[in-house]
Amino acid sequence: MSDIPQERRVVTAIPGPKSQELQTRRLAAVAAGVGSTLPVFTARVDRGIIEDVDGNRLIDFGSGIAVTSVGASAEAVVRRASAQLQDFTHTCFMVTPYEGYVEVAEALAELTPGDHAKKSALFNSGAEAVENAVKIARAYTKRQAVVVFDHGYHGRTNLTMALTSKNMPYKQGFGPFAPEVYRVPVAYGYRWPTGPDNAGAEASAQAIDQITKQIGAENVAAIIIEPVLGEGGFIEPAKGFLPAIREFASAHGIVFVADEIQSGFCRTGQWFACEDEGIVPDLITTAKGIAGGLPLAAVTGRAEIMDAAHAGGLGGTYGGNPVACAGALGAIETMKELDLNARAKEIERTMKARLTTMAEKFPVIGDIRGRGGMIAIELVKADAPEGAAAKEPNPEATAALAKACHAEGLLVLTCGTYGNVLRFLPPLVIGQDLLNEGLDILENAFAAL
């Protein structure tokens, strides 16, 4: 386990000379299509600090995109994964199985919403989990159509690109895409034409109307939604929207899939974000925060649905890798021991209080939203005219703020359909001092902007 002083330290330009040298090598050897938010090459990570090869220590408000919620070198993850490495790295669960896979499936049955009988299948990535959820839903319902939502993000494989809403950079030039995918409105309160109070009821009515008229409910295998939309801008669907869609799915024999890949495992202050409105999904997809940084993903759901695929129909060479399973058991152990749901709520209280104060000073902040350690601000053009135009997206300010934060040693990420959202995903084990210092840097960046 790394043991880095939990203090920001900027000793060179960001990126520094060693990072720049590595970036030159990277440009020669790595495909140009693989981007990086900040070309700072990592040496060590511990809790809230990323130490680069030049000795700079950056405050981490990204967690590797919501992956290292327990930190990137958590003791229990390192201990369990190291022990598993000593025994064996791989057999393939489809050839000779092992206990770790079963233990992870048992843990998922315990932690996910609902008290019905559940089963799981393990994979490598979030996109794989979503793709397999579609396979399972189609096998169970004997239907083909899949319904997704505006601003949704589900992955980079061919099918999950079709499910994803945003074209650039995820879909541009990569078609044709998988058929039988249909997109309907989501209750994006901040941008809903009649205001956030009406968004839940109106958006759900519109979505259900489109499904009924354009597809036919009897043709829909699955409805897939992120309970907090991640890449689309940390959009919390307005209250009432998810329950209405869940009820419609139940009434028509449609498999309701909660994509909790970014929002799951304590990230929002609950084990899973769908718990906020009491939603019990038929299937739930997980990845990112599940294994403390090791590649693992899962589909968990009602036993009768999960069992619908024929033997041999689900799997993959590396799915449920034993070292990743050990890491997941270590991550879950850490989440329980440190009560990271409570810590996520503390992070939310701190961040929202500070961000609300900033919004009073800086009219470029149009909206503050999110839950737990999954918080975002949407930036708009402060000098735009009144009315709807007052919410004109400001991707330029978003990019400038991120750049200013990076230069001062604070790693932040952007997102949003319009590229105008700053998202904050600190490790849930970040210290309060670092959290406040990061917010100080952000506030100074706003003042300079």
Side-chain angles (χ1 to χ4, degrees), residues 9 53-54 57 73 75 96 108 168 180 196 201 207 231 236 242 253 262 268 293 315 350 353 363 390 397 404 419 428:
R9 183 175 73 176
V53 290
D54 289 288
R57 295 191 192 126
S73 52
E75 185 277 330
T96 58
L108 287 164
M168 271 299 282
E180 287 302 312
E231 195 62 33
E236 291 183 89
L242 289 172
Q262 189 162 171
T268 62
T350 298
L428 301 179

Side-chain angles (χ1 to χ4, degrees), residues 45-328:
V45 187
D46 178 27
R47 289 163 288 172
I49 289 287
I50 297 170
E51 186 173 276
D52 73 8
V53 290
D54 289 288
N56 298 298
R57 295 191 192 126
L58 284 68
I59 300 174
D60 182 11
F61 273 17
S63 297
I65 317 184
V67 170
T68 54
S69 299
V70 297
S73 52
E75 185 277 330
V77 175
V78 173
R79 168 170 42 84
R80 286 180 180 248
S82 299
Q84 180 57 52
L85 275 168
Q86 297 293 325
D87 292 337
F88 60 95
T89 60
H90 176 78
T91 69
C92 185
F93 192 77
M94 299 182 301
V95 178
T96 58
Y98 36 87
E99 186 179 5
Y101 189 118
V102 178
E103 283 186 279
V104 171
E106 288 169 340
L108 287 164
E110 174 209 330
L111 295 170
T112 50
D115 54 10
H116 49 273
K118 296 176 207 156
K119 292 189 177 183
S120 291
L122 305 185
F123 305 97
N124 303 294
S125 69
E128 267 189 87
V130 173
E131 193 141 330
N132 278 279
V134 171
K135 286 165 59 176
I136 292 162
R138 284 174 169 166
Y140 178 72
T141 61
K142 307 294 189 279
R143 304 171 182 177
Q144 293 185 339
V146 179
V147 171
V148 288
F149 293 83
D150 286 340
H151 308 288
Y153 175 85
H154 301 287
R156 294 174 181 264
T157 60
N158 186 266
L159 175 59
T160 56
M161 280 191 293
L163 302 175
T164 290
S165 178
K166 190 176 179 180
N167 178 51
M168 271 299 282
Y170 306 113
K171 300 163 76 169
Q172 175 69 28
F174 296 144
F177 301 112
E180 287 302 312
V181 173
Y182 301 87
R183 196 172 314 285
V184 296
V186 76
Y188 188 168
Y190 179 64
R191 295 193 172 274
W192 195 253
T194 59
D197 292 343
N198 302 315
E202 290 180 5
S204 57
Q206 282 184 27
I208 289 166
D209 184 59
Q210 286 186 26
I211 294 166
T212 305
K213 288 178 178 170
Q214 296 179 23
I215 314 164
E218 69 278 8
N219 296 315
V220 179
I223 294 174
I224 306 175
I225 190 164
E226 302 158 275
V228 177
L229 282 72
E231 195 62 33
F234 282 25
I235 299 160
E236 291 183 89
K239 296 296 182 205
F241 180 82
L242 289 172
I245 300 297
R246 163 76 268 197
E247 190 179 330
F248 173 77
S250 297
H252 293 91
I254 299 166
V255 176
F256 183 93
V257 183
D259 178 344
E260 292 262 14
I261 286 157
Q262 189 162 171
S263 58
F265 286 99
C266 307
R267 179 47 62 180
T268 62
Q270 292 165 298
W271 280 101
F272 299 97
C274 60
E275 296 174 62
D276 185 61
E277 287 186 272
I279 301 296
V280 178
D282 297 311
L283 301 179
I284 187 165
T285 60
T286 51
K288 289 193 183 290
I290 192 173
L294 293 166
L296 188 70
V299 183
T300 302
R302 297 183 183 277
E304 67 275 16
I305 299 177
M306 291 297 298
D307 282 343
H310 54 274
L314 304 177
T317 302
Y318 294 110
N321 169 271
V323 182
C325 285

